[in-house]
Amino acid sequence: GENVEQHPSTLSVQEGDSAVIKCTYSDSASNYFPWYKQELGKGPQLIIDIRSNVGEKKDQRIAVTLNKTAKHFSLHITETQPEDSAVYFCAALGGGKLTFGQGTILTVHP
Amino acid sequence: DAGITQSPRHKVTETGTPVTLRCHQTENHRYMYWYRQDPGHGLRLIHYSYGVKDTDKGEVSDGYSVSRSKTEDFLLTLESATSSQTSVYFCASQGDLNTEAFFGQGTRLTVV
């Protein structure tokens, strides 16, 4: 089955800096890669996703890149703000089910 | 947001007792999932469903069973609860593969 590895497990940045979270996946047939943000006490919410026929996607301060050859994808957050502090999860869709990474706790210091 | 609710939100139960968690969605989504969330492990898939009465096991299915008799409801049963099943459980639903999966607010289960 699919295996998703996510790094780093914790990330601390100053407000205004950029943050990058990286994930690798094992199933070359996986074709959909969403990123979720989870705030304290809530369920995860989709912030951006990318499909295997696209190399990069941007939405305001958030971007995701996908390298199918290397089987890795990354989340980039620019101009970070304190409200970006949360747990972020990457996921890969393979074999008809979503497999998640271990999560990254992002802390943005004012 | 998609209408997906979990019940109960919190539960404390004793070791050895059966427990059923309910997930209800109002979006007529075909796919539904149960995950557990534990520190250091992210979200791990317990069971999933790709239609009424169509379910399959995830990576941590031992000790859990599911049922889906209606599109809108997906039940997770702990047949005989153990302390290792203390966790936060999330349900999710998805209309089609390769589209957004919507999560419920979670159920915090404590087995004492």
Side-chain angles (χ1 to χ4, degrees), chain B residues 46-63:
Chain B
I46 306 171
H47 282 279
Y48 63 105
S49 170
Y50 41 93
V52 173
K53 298 185 179 176
D54 288 326
T55 65
D56 206 347
K57 296 178 179 180
E59 62 178 306
V60 290
S61 60
D62 287 350

Side-chain angles (χ1 to χ4, degrees), chain B residues 1-44:
Chain B
D1 287 347
I4 181 166
T5 55
Q6 294 182 227
S7 58
R9 294 291 315 281
H10 302 272
K11 187 170 182 65
V12 180
T13 193
E14 292 186 349
T15 299
T17 60
V19 177
T20 296
L21 309 183
R22 181 181 185 237
C23 179
H24 179 78
Q25 53 104 352
T26 59
E27 302 298 315
N28 200 35
H29 284 170
R30 176 181 175 185
Y31 300 92
M32 295 187 76
Y33 307 85
W34 276 107
Y35 292 89
R36 60 178 289 174
Q37 183 173 23
D38 305 287
H41 292 279
L43 293 158
R44 292 183 292 174

Side-chain angles (χ1 to χ4, degrees), chain B residues 68-85:
Chain B
R68 189 154 179 218
S69 59
K70 298 185 290 185
T71 297
E72 57 266 34
D73 290 325
F74 193 31
L75 304 180
L76 176 70
T77 297
L78 288 65
E79 293 138 11
S80 177
T82 67
S83 58
S84 64
Q85 293 176 312

Side-chain angles (χ1 to χ4, degrees), chain A residues 84-103:
Chain A
D84 293 330
S85 296
V87 181
Y88 290 82
F89 292 99
C90 63
L93 180 70
K97 54 187 183 289
L98 271 177
T99 300
F100 284 81
Q102 296 84 352

Side-chain angles (χ1 to χ4, degrees), chain A residues 2-3 31-32 34 36 38 41-47 49 51 87 89 93 95-103, chain B residues 1 9 31 33 35 37 40-43 45 48 57-59 90 94 97-106:
Chain A
E2 177 65 274
N3 182 48
N31 57 6
Y32 174 64
Y36 283 80
Q38 185 181 28
K42 297 183 178 180
Q45 284 196 303
L46 182 76
I47 54 171
D49 57 13
R51 291 172 176 77
V87 181
F89 292 99
L93 180 70
K97 54 187 183 289
L98 271 177
T99 300
F100 284 81
Q102 296 84 352
Chain B
D1 287 347
R9 294 291 315 281
Y31 300 92
Y33 307 85
Y35 292 89
Q37 183 173 23
H41 292 279
L43 293 158
L45 183 65
Y48 63 105
K57 296 178 179 180
E59 62 178 306
F90 285 98
Q94 191 179 27
L97 294 177
N98 295 2
T99 63
E100 180 175 359
F102 294 90
F103 282 80
Q105 293 180 293

